Amino acid sequence: MQDHLVRVVTEDGHLRAAAADTTELVREICRRQQADLTAKVALGRLLTGAALLGCLLKGSQRLALMVEGNGPLGRMMVETDAAGSIRGKLQNPVAGLPPRNDRFDVAGAIGRAGFLHVIKDLGLKEPYRSMVQLQTSEVGEDLAWYLTHSEQVPSCVAVGVELDEQGEVAAAGGFLVQALPPGDPEQLVALEEGLSRLEPTTSLLRQGISPALILSRVLEGHQFSVQQETELVFNCPCSRRQISDMLAGLGNAEIDAMILEQAGAEVACDYCCENYSFTKEERVSLRS
Ligand code: ZN
């Protein structure tokens, strides 16, 4: 099944929900980032969270989420846009942590202390920036805390990544449910009781259950209509021009050091890890 997201609203208008299958893009981004097992689960959860939080973007709006904790992964950054393009990067892709109680130690890899940053480029003069302290460092609960307390929209977020026996991403996905004003937040509380009995989203996806069908289980007892379906894809909008502008911005001393390198200087994009190489003449032309 192609990665995609479905967004719905209940007929009484009190609840909004979205569910996403992010398996392919999480697999591709983790491969490019050379993430180890725990790093795959951590980054995959954040990528899925970005897909879910990005479901309300329009036009050229963009959303970035950054988790910065005191654990071995360091900084984890993901970006998405209204078209469903997603990319992500890890400062350190090797968490090097053993599982705890048969679970990947995502909270240990991220670190118990740190911040979730949310940056939205809504086409206004300045991007919107917000920051909350990490609550559990498990990603889903931290995103729910941000939405509920910072955006003041009571929310429930579930994001998951399941690895197969070879350590490859077998399934990734999740869902988001929000109580819309002036709705009744009690509806969300009642729903959450049912959600605790629901199988993990990744098990449902592995059984071939689509995001739309997952939403009918999540919103059991509520009539809803589909508002939008968006294909989700890994895409990095980097370009040679962008990379050379970045190099030019480093200053002449750095560029002089690069000019002295014998072979063509290679610079990799942090997100997609594609290499851009620059000949000696090109390196000289970067000097200002
Ligand atoms: Zn790139």
Side-chain angles (χ1 to χ4, degrees), residues 87 236 238 269 271-273 276:
R87 65 177 185 169
C236 185
C238 69
C269 167
Y271 284 94
C272 64
C273 304
Y276 291 88

Side-chain angles (χ1 to χ4, degrees), residues 14 16 56 143-156 176-181 188:
H14 291 168
R16 171 170 65 212
L56 292 174
L143 292 170
W145 172 271
Y146 159 76
L147 292 167
T148 304
H149 294 91
S150 191
E151 293 199 358
Q152 310 256 310
V153 184
S155 302
C156 168
L176 158 74
V177 189
Q178 297 190 296
L180 296 175
L188 193 64

Side-chain angles (χ1 to χ4, degrees), residues 96-143:
L97 289 180
R100 273 162 71 111
N101 307 325
D102 282 339
R103 294 187 71 233
F104 291 105
D105 188 6
V106 170
I110 288 173
R112 304 276 166 182
F115 293 92
L116 163 69
H117 301 257
V118 180
I119 304 127
K120 289 188 201 178
D121 182 351
L122 302 175
L124 305 171
K125 212 169 169 188
E126 292 287 327
Y128 161 92
R129 290 172 187 276
S130 182
M131 180 178 87
V132 291
Q133 262 185 332
L134 294 174
Q135 301 298 308
T136 63
S137 302
E138 296 282 355
V139 183
E141 283 142 349
D142 297 298
L143 292 170

Side-chain angles (χ1 to χ4, degrees), residues 32 87 234-239 242-243 268-276:
R32 286 174 181 263
R87 65 177 185 169
F234 157 71
N235 178 46
C236 185
C238 69
S239 65
Q242 228 176 35
I243 301 277
C269 167
D270 286 346
Y271 284 94
C272 64
C273 304
E274 293 295 334
N275 276 314
Y276 291 88

Side-chain angles (χ1 to χ4, degrees), residues 87 236-249 258 264-269 272 274-286:
R87 65 177 185 169
C236 185
C238 69
S239 65
R240 191 175 176 74
R241 174 67 191 273
Q242 228 176 35
I243 301 277
S244 62
D245 284 352
M246 185 273 290
L247 290 176
M258 267 179 64
E266 288 223 322
V267 182
C269 167
C272 64
E274 293 295 334
N275 276 314
Y276 291 88
S277 59
F278 293 85
T279 63
K280 190 158 187 179
E281 291 69 35
E282 285 174 319
R283 281 174 268 163
V284 171
S285 73
L286 291 170

